């Protein structure tokens, strides 16, 4: 099993990354602020535009260390990737299956089964844990609607039908997302999902979490030898990692959404951790990003029992395990792709 190592997050815009022997060096001007041994690093995520040296980029590519560049607000810019892993036969089969509408529907259906099942579980968990402070009848009604969506999925015959069912289920789920925010209600409220750009604090947190999760999924797919740009539910579009978006669907609610709710409900993030731009866009400030990323790294280290493998793994390994299971299905080692269905 792949070992979960540390992710190095560079949150200040004035930092420059360079290579010195076996170490990543963080510079501000000519001053070296910190040094990190490369053998302890799985990936590097940097916010801002200062950049990294060509030598470091080359070494990251050689060692298969993901080097991801984001804007200060968390919008994805680019990733440095080395040689494509895996064998050509796996990727050729992936391309054939992506071009086959029946195969695409079969795989996409399982992604969405995992997504809607996990969204339903998030609501059911809230009903179980907080029966005295939430409207349980309201959440039970929405949970029942999500159960109906799962039934409709099994009967869908096309990607268009799947997308329609998924869209309706997402509307149902997000219609009660505000009910899951139990603390700091005066500062954190949710009305509807908006993302380009996020116009409130909760959407800013969700968008940031989804960006990090998508990056994890892309790295996982590259690690097992799949092409992250050729998907089944999300179709080909230049510059879009469609398969990474496919893979993260089943993890959105159970990984990213629950993480955001924990940040708010445990008061690990506060209203003072945000900035509002002139156009109304809401983003995390430097201190907010540090708090978010520290908690995100801790979340990745938490242990769970994988529902399909029945083995203990870290949360941060879940995208890798799902990518591995998808590769095994494409190779013909599994009868179908087993979605991540968490309780």
């Amino acid at each position: 099993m792949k070992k979960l190592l540390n992710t190095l997050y560079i949150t200040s815009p004035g930092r420059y990354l360079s290579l010195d022997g076996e170490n990543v060096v963080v510079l501000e001007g000519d001053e070296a602020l910190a040094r990190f041994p490369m053998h302890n690093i799985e990936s590097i995520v940097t916010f801002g535009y200062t950049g990294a040296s060509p030598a470091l980029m080359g070494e990251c590519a050689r060692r298969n260390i993901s080097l991801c560049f984001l804007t200060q607000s968390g919008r994805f810019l680019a990733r440095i990737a080395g040689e494509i892993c895996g064998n050509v036969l796996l990727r050729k089969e992936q391309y054939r299956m992506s071009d086959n509408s029946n195969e695409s529907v079969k795989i996409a259906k399982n992604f969405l089964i995992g997504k809607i099942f996990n969204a339903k579980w998030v609501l059911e968990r809230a009903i179980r844990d907080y029966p005295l402070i939430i409207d349980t009848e309201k959440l039970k009604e929405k949970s029942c609607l999500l159960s109906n969506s799962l039934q409709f999925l099994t009967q869908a015959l096309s990607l268009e039908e799947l997308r329609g069912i998924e869209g309706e289920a997402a509307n149902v789920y997000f219609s009660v997302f505000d009910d899951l925010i139990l603390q700091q209600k005066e500062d954190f409220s949710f009305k509807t999902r908006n993302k380009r750009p996020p116009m409130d604090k909760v959407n800013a947190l969700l968008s940031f979490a989804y960006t990090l999760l998508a990056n994890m999924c892309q790295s996982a797919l590259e690690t097992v030898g799949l092409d992250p740009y050729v998907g089944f539910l999300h179709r080909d579009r230049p510059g879009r990692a469609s398969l990474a978006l496919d893979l993260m669907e089943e993890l959105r609610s159970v990984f990213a959404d629950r993480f955001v709710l924990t940040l708010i409900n445990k008061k690990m993030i506060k209203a003072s951790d945000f900035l509002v731009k002139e156009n109304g866009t809401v983003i995390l400030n430097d201190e907010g990003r540090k708090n978010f990323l520290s908690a995100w790294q801790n979340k990745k280290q938490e242990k769970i029992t994988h529902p399909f493998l029945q083995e203990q793994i870290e949360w941060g390994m879940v995208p890798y395990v799902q990518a591995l299971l998808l590769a095994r299905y494409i190779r013909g080692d599994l009868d179908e792709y087993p979605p991540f269905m968490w309780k």
Side-chain angles (χ1 to χ4, degrees), residues 10-13 45-49 69-77 195-198 200-201 203-212 273-277 279 281-286 288-289 292-293:
I10 308 299
T11 60
S12 299
V45 179
T46 178
F47 297 81
Y49 303 96
F69 296 92
L70 308 180
T71 66
Q72 278 297 102
S73 62
R75 183 172 59 83
F76 175 81
L77 290 173
K195 47 191 173 181
R196 295 187 185 94
D200 59 71
K201 300 180 186 68
N203 274 292
L205 292 172
L206 289 173
S207 292
F208 196 25
Y210 293 158
T211 296
L212 296 177
D273 291 322
F274 295 83
L275 294 173
V276 180
K277 294 187 174 182
N279 64 353
T281 302
V282 180
I283 63 171
L284 285 162
N285 59 27
D286 286 347
R289 274 194 303 273
F292 186 107
L293 293 170

Side-chain angles (χ1 to χ4, degrees), residues 291-307:
N291 293 337
F292 186 107
L293 293 170
S294 176
W296 181 265
Q297 194 67 16
N298 291 335
K299 172 69 175 179
K300 287 168 60 179
Q301 303 288 341
E302 291 177 7
K303 293 286 186 73
I304 63 166
T305 299
H306 191 278

Side-chain angles (χ1 to χ4, degrees), residues 32-279:
L33 301 180
R35 304 170 69 90
F36 301 93
M38 295 195 76
H39 65 267
N40 289 331
I41 297 175
E42 179 183 45
S43 60
I44 302 171
V45 179
T46 178
F47 297 81
Y49 303 96
T50 305
S53 70
L56 177 63
M57 293 183 190
E59 188 64 14
C60 285
R62 189 182 72 81
R63 292 173 179 254
N64 199 29
I65 295 174
S66 169
L67 177 54
C68 183
F69 296 92
L70 308 180
T71 66
Q72 278 297 102
S73 62
R75 183 172 59 83
F76 175 81
L77 290 173
R79 293 179 74 252
I80 300 298
E83 295 182 10
I84 298 176
C85 304
N87 64 70
V88 66
L89 297 180
L90 173 64
R91 294 191 297 278
K92 288 179 71 174
E93 186 61 26
Q94 176 191 354
Y95 301 151
R96 280 194 288 266
M97 294 175 77
S98 178
D99 287 337
N100 184 310
S101 60
N102 290 332
E103 285 291 347
S104 291
V105 167
K106 184 178 179 181
I107 299 174
K109 186 178 294 186
N110 280 11
F111 286 138
L112 294 183
I113 286 173
K115 176 177 184 174
I116 297 175
F117 178 92
N118 288 330
K120 173 181 166 63
W121 177 84
V122 169
L123 301 188
E124 291 290 341
R125 181 70 176 264
I127 293 169
R128 187 194 74 184
D129 291 348
Y130 309 107
L132 301 180
I133 57 177
I134 63 172
D135 187 343
T136 56
E137 291 304 315
K138 180 180 178 183
L139 265 64
K140 284 179 181 178
E141 178 187 349
K142 301 301 182 181
S143 178
C144 183
L145 291 175
L146 292 178
S147 294
N148 292 338
S149 295
L150 287 172
Q151 292 296 321
F152 296 147
L153 276 180
T154 62
Q155 303 167 19
L157 300 176
S158 68
L159 290 175
E160 289 72 21
E161 286 183 77
L162 290 177
R163 293 190 187 104
I165 296 167
E166 185 273 335
E168 291 179 6
N171 288 334
V172 168
Y173 169 71
F174 279 120
S175 71
V176 290
F177 194 77
D178 189 64
D179 295 65
L180 306 180
I181 300 173
L182 308 177
Q183 300 289 333
Q184 307 188 85
K185 294 290 285 188
E186 66 280 1
D187 294 318
F188 294 90
S189 63
F190 181 89
K191 294 181 179 179
T192 186
R193 180 79 180 109
N194 53 73
K195 47 191 173 181
R196 295 187 185 94
M199 304 302 288
D200 59 71
K201 300 180 186 68
V202 179
N203 274 292
L205 292 172
L206 289 173
S207 292
F208 196 25
Y210 293 158
T211 296
L212 296 177
L213 182 58
N215 187 54
M216 290 170 61
C217 290
Q218 184 169 346
S219 296
L221 291 165
E222 290 172 346
T223 299
V224 302
L226 291 169
D227 188 335
Y229 290 88
V230 178
F232 301 100
L233 176 65
H234 294 82
R235 307 310 292 173
D236 297 349
R237 182 186 298 174
R240 182 172 76 176
S242 295
L243 188 57
L245 297 179
D246 285 355
L247 190 66
M248 73 178 282
E249 289 292 355
E250 57 200 279
L251 302 178
R252 284 179 183 267
S253 61
V254 76
F255 194 122
D257 295 357
R258 290 192 70 231
F259 173 76
V260 167
L261 290 169
T262 297
L263 287 183
I264 298 170
N265 290 335
K266 291 190 174 181
K267 300 182 180 180
M268 301 164 69
I269 208 91
K270 297 181 173 61
S272 59
D273 291 322
F274 295 83
L275 294 173
V276 180
K277 294 187 174 182
E278 292 181 358
N279 64 353

